[in-house]
Amino acid sequence: MNKYKSISFFEGLNPLRFFAALLVLMHHSEAIKLKNGLANLEWLGLFRNGNNAVTFFFVLSGFLITYLLLKENFKTGTISIKTFYIKRMLRIWPLYFLLVVIGAILLPVAFHVLKVDYTMPYTFRQTWYYFLFFLPGLVTFFFGHHLLEPLWSIGVEEVFYLIWAPLFKCLKHRILVVLLFVIAVKILLTLLSMYAIHSELFAYVVSIFQFESMAIGGLGAYFLFYHGEKLQQLALFKKPVQVLVYFTLAMYLIFHANIDNAIWNIIFKTPVISALFINFLFLYLILDVSSVDSGILKIKSKLLSTFGEISYGIYMYHMLVIFTIILFLKKYLAQMNPVLSNIVFYLVVIPAVLLVSYLSKKYFENYFLSLKEKLEKRSNQSKLEKAS
């Protein structure tokens, strides 16, 4: 069997997950420090990559989910939508709804009892249906910034999963056309939001539902699955091109908020086109790290891989941890010089987020992941029995 049709684990992606989650943590850390009048690095582009990191997660999600569906269809001739949904539920729902309970129900009560100087911008009664139906992004739109703000991207992914598996099953022989169609529709909707439909809500919904990012990830999975043997020979993945792409990506992530000139703006700030370009840069990174033998960015650190395994927790818990640490250390951080304040802050925040995420993974998430593994074993056994 062609090895590109039976990949069970993509090397190097877990560390990328960790780095993306770390960028989100840094972004929110600096925004919260700025809001609290503390020394911050919010002005530097490197610390304002939250949206870019989430876009990377969307591209990665589209890549992995589409590859898994392609592989399942290749092996069995069909897609088990029920199994797909249950597996996604067991991975995403437990932590998602735990955070909703903590952030929307328990914290307001704790703030009231402990007389914490923080006012929730909404009540659970006002927002429960947004969280329940995986539209937490609308909570941010209607009520402003809040401690559960990162959940918006989880809602977007859940809606994507809900649509993608049945659509894939029905149109599996036209999946390339579907992927291109999704990208084309997003371009059209974006242009409509910019030039024709002058509605803030419409523009916001179009911007956060980044299905085009997932479709671009899906294009990468499609190419790898059907044409993976050509990947190693493509001029696009020769070392000089790799160096150029990584230099471009690094420059963008570090300085995107600090450079303003004509050439830079054409490349990175042209409406629609620049966003697609950045998506393809992320896809290039994913393919190069995980599937190109001569890739210059091979990350084989077990520690970083372990951190990547808890990246979902890092993403979900970091706002609560940052808020808690600011609450208790604000007075002390304010008295330090700016350099020391920033160093101490991250020396406390990063280990704290890692610890909370590790404990959550070990004692909470792993229970549901074990159920997911049992489901996969039963599903594979059932397919083998049918095949025999």
Side-chain angles (χ1 to χ4, degrees):
M1 181 186 291
N2 186 326
K3 71 174 184 177
Y4 295 103
K5 287 183 167 63
S6 59
I7 299 172
S8 58
F9 179 74
F10 289 95
E11 294 285 347
L13 294 186
N14 273 338
L16 294 184
R17 283 191 179 99
F18 168 66
F19 288 129
L22 186 62
L23 287 176
V24 176
L25 182 155
M26 291 160 58
H27 180 110
H28 287 138
S29 291
E30 299 309 318
I32 294 173
K33 285 196 288 179
L34 177 65
K35 185 176 181 179
N36 282 272
L38 297 172
N40 63 83
L41 301 166
E42 198 270 344
W43 56 273
L44 182 60
L46 179 62
F47 292 86
R48 295 173 61 178
N49 276 306
N51 290 333
N52 288 320
V54 172
T55 295
F56 169 81
F57 279 128
F58 285 150
V59 176
L60 179 61
S61 179
F63 172 79
L64 293 174
I65 291 300
T66 302
Y67 181 85
L68 289 174
L69 291 173
L70 286 167
K71 188 168 74 167
E72 180 182 355
N73 181 67
F74 177 74
K75 288 184 174 181
T76 68
T78 188
I79 299 295
S80 174
I81 295 176
K82 177 183 176 182
T83 301
F84 177 86
Y85 283 163
I86 293 175
K87 286 163 64 176
R88 301 278 73 74
M89 287 165 55
L90 290 172
R91 181 66 188 105
I92 303 298
W93 286 24
L95 191 51
Y96 174 87
F97 285 112
L98 175 64
L99 263 293
V100 171
V101 171
I102 292 173
I105 299 176
L106 299 182
L107 278 185
V109 174
F111 291 161
H112 176 73
V113 172
L114 299 174
K115 294 182 171 52
V116 174
D117 184 21
Y118 179 83
T119 302
M120 295 289 292
Y122 56 81
T123 65
F124 181 67
R125 182 176 294 180
Q126 291 173 311
T127 57
W128 66 267
Y129 41 90
Y130 294 126
F131 290 120
L132 180 62
F133 295 107
F134 296 100
L135 295 171
L138 294 182
V139 176
T140 304
F141 180 83
F142 289 118
F143 299 95
H145 297 298
H146 56 101
L147 294 176
L148 295 182
E149 194 166 340
L151 270 61
W152 74 268
S153 67
I154 308 303
V156 171
E157 291 208 7
E158 282 299 299
V159 175
F160 172 73
Y161 296 152
L162 182 66
I163 297 171
W164 193 229
L167 190 63
F168 190 103
K169 184 172 183 177
C170 294
L171 300 172
K172 58 188 177 182
H173 299 300
R174 297 287 184 271
I175 201 63
L176 180 59
V177 175
V178 173
L179 290 166
L180 294 173
F181 178 75
V182 170
I183 297 170
V185 168
K186 179 55 182 284
I187 292 173
L188 176 61
L189 291 175
T190 302
L191 293 174
L192 287 173
S193 72
M194 293 171 61
Y195 303 113
I197 302 176
H198 302 294
S199 163
E200 289 186 18
L201 178 59
F202 179 77
Y204 177 76
V205 170
V206 169
S207 68
I208 66 170
F209 278 87
Q210 294 178 278
F211 287 178
E212 81 285 3
S213 299
M214 300 176 192
I216 288 171
L219 287 176
Y222 183 91
F223 177 81
L224 181 67
F225 190 83
Y226 287 110
H227 307 289
E229 66 282 352
K230 298 178 182 178
L231 200 65
Q232 314 300 334
Q233 286 76 44
L234 284 178
L236 190 63
F237 289 99
K238 298 302 181 184
K239 287 188 178 180
V241 180
Q242 292 182 45
V243 172
L244 177 62
V245 171
Y246 286 137
F247 176 77
T248 302
L249 187 56
M251 288 290 290
Y252 171 71
L253 293 177
I254 296 171
F255 299 114
H256 66 93
N258 306 107
I259 297 179
D260 185 16
N261 62 54
I263 297 176
W264 181 273
N265 291 343
I266 289 171
I267 298 173
F268 294 116
K269 296 184 180 180
T270 300
V272 181
I273 295 174
S274 293
L276 293 175
F277 175 63
I278 293 164
N279 274 271
F280 277 107
L281 285 180
F282 288 144
L283 176 59
Y284 184 98
L285 172 65
I286 291 166
L287 286 172
D288 194 56
V289 167
S290 67
S291 307
V292 176
D293 295 340
S294 60
I296 62 175
L297 191 63
K298 295 298 183 184
I299 310 172
K300 298 182 179 181
S301 167
K302 290 184 179 179
L303 181 62
L304 291 178
S305 183
T306 299
F307 289 162
E309 291 173 3
I310 61 172
S311 59
Y312 182 40
I314 294 172
Y315 182 81
M316 296 294 276
Y317 287 112
H318 75 274
M319 285 281 281
L320 299 181
V321 175
I322 292 168
F323 177 83
T324 302
I325 288 172
I326 293 268
L327 183 67
F328 286 101
L329 297 184
K330 180 179 179 180
K331 180 176 67 174
Y332 305 102
L333 292 171
Q335 295 171 352
M336 299 177 187
N337 70 66
V339 174
L340 183 60
S341 176
N342 284 308
I343 292 174
V344 169
F345 175 82
Y346 280 109
L347 285 177
V348 175
V349 164
I350 292 178
V353 172
L354 291 176
L355 178 60
V356 170
S357 303
Y358 170 78
L359 294 175
S360 173
K361 177 73 161 49
K362 183 174 182 178
Y363 296 107
F364 179 69
E365 298 166 61
N366 277 352
Y367 171 77
F368 299 97
L369 291 176
S370 67
L371 296 179
K372 177 174 172 282
E373 290 175 2
K374 291 177 182 178
L375 174 67
E376 289 176 339
K377 289 180 181 179
R378 286 201 300 268
S379 177
N380 292 335
Q381 183 63 35
S382 176
K383 289 171 185 175
L384 289 173
E385 290 174 356
K386 288 181 181 179
S388 61

